Amino acid sequence: MSCTLCTTAGIEARGFIFGPPIALAIGAKFVPLRKPRKLPGKVYRQEYDLEYGSDCIEMHVGAVEPGERALVVDDLIATGGTLCAAMNLLERAGAEVIECACVIEIPELKVCTSLIHASIFLLLFCSISFCLRGYLTF
């Protein structure tokens, strides 16, 4: 099996900033994973829990083909709920999630890595106290 990535999926909204340039650089298509009711037509829907409630992301039916190898891109990994939902969404459509790329992880929030079976590339580890002091804003 080839190691080529066919799809770069970006999680709304900051994944839309980082995902397309990565997709362009590796020659993959970009697939947006959006908040509910933002995409026209038929969609796959994946609900997930957050630290403070629940949410949902959606993807167009037909955006990925069975067997495509995918990279998931987002800005921040806190508990891992959104990332896991994105992976589940792509896998329900038949894609194989190979890797996740996030800019920042907040380790104090205990990412549920047991749910994330793809490798994770992180650019920066950031403590909550660093964020609270105003050095990093979202």
Side-chain angles (χ1 to χ4, degrees):
M1 183 176 262
S2 169
C3 288
T4 304
L5 291 168
C6 305
T7 303
T8 300
I11 300 172
E12 188 170 347
R14 291 180 188 101
F16 296 177
I17 296 168
F18 303 113
I22 293 170
L24 185 61
I26 65 174
K29 66 181 172 184
F30 177 75
V31 174
L33 305 180
R34 305 246 14 218
K35 295 181 186 207
R37 297 172 299 283
K38 300 252 181 155
L39 295 171
K42 293 184 178 183
V43 295
Y44 290 109
R45 180 182 176 95
Q46 181 70 47
E47 294 184 15
Y48 60 99
D49 292 327
L50 297 165
E51 311 79 71
Y52 48 83
S54 63
D55 207 347
C56 169
I57 55 174
E58 296 179 341
M59 175 183 74
H60 273 128
V61 170
V64 298
E65 299 294 323
E68 284 186 357
R69 296 162 63 87
L71 164 71
V72 178
V73 180
D74 202 5
D75 63 332
L76 174 73
I77 182 170
T79 62
T82 308
L83 203 55
C84 287
M87 292 175 65
N88 290 339
L89 196 59
L90 287 158
E91 289 169 353
R92 282 183 30 222
E96 179 185 2
V97 178
I98 301 301
E99 189 162 17
C100 301
C102 298
V103 178
I104 300 166
E105 177 187 3
I106 301 176
E108 291 95 341
L109 294 181
K110 308 280 189 264
V111 173
C112 188
T113 54
S114 64
L115 299 176
I116 302 171
H117 53 273
S119 60
I120 301 173
F121 173 81
L122 292 166
L123 186 60
L124 176 67
F125 288 95
C126 182
S127 71
I128 290 176
S129 61
F130 184 79
C131 295
L132 293 176
R133 285 194 296 254
Y135 295 117
L136 188 64
T137 59
F138 301 101

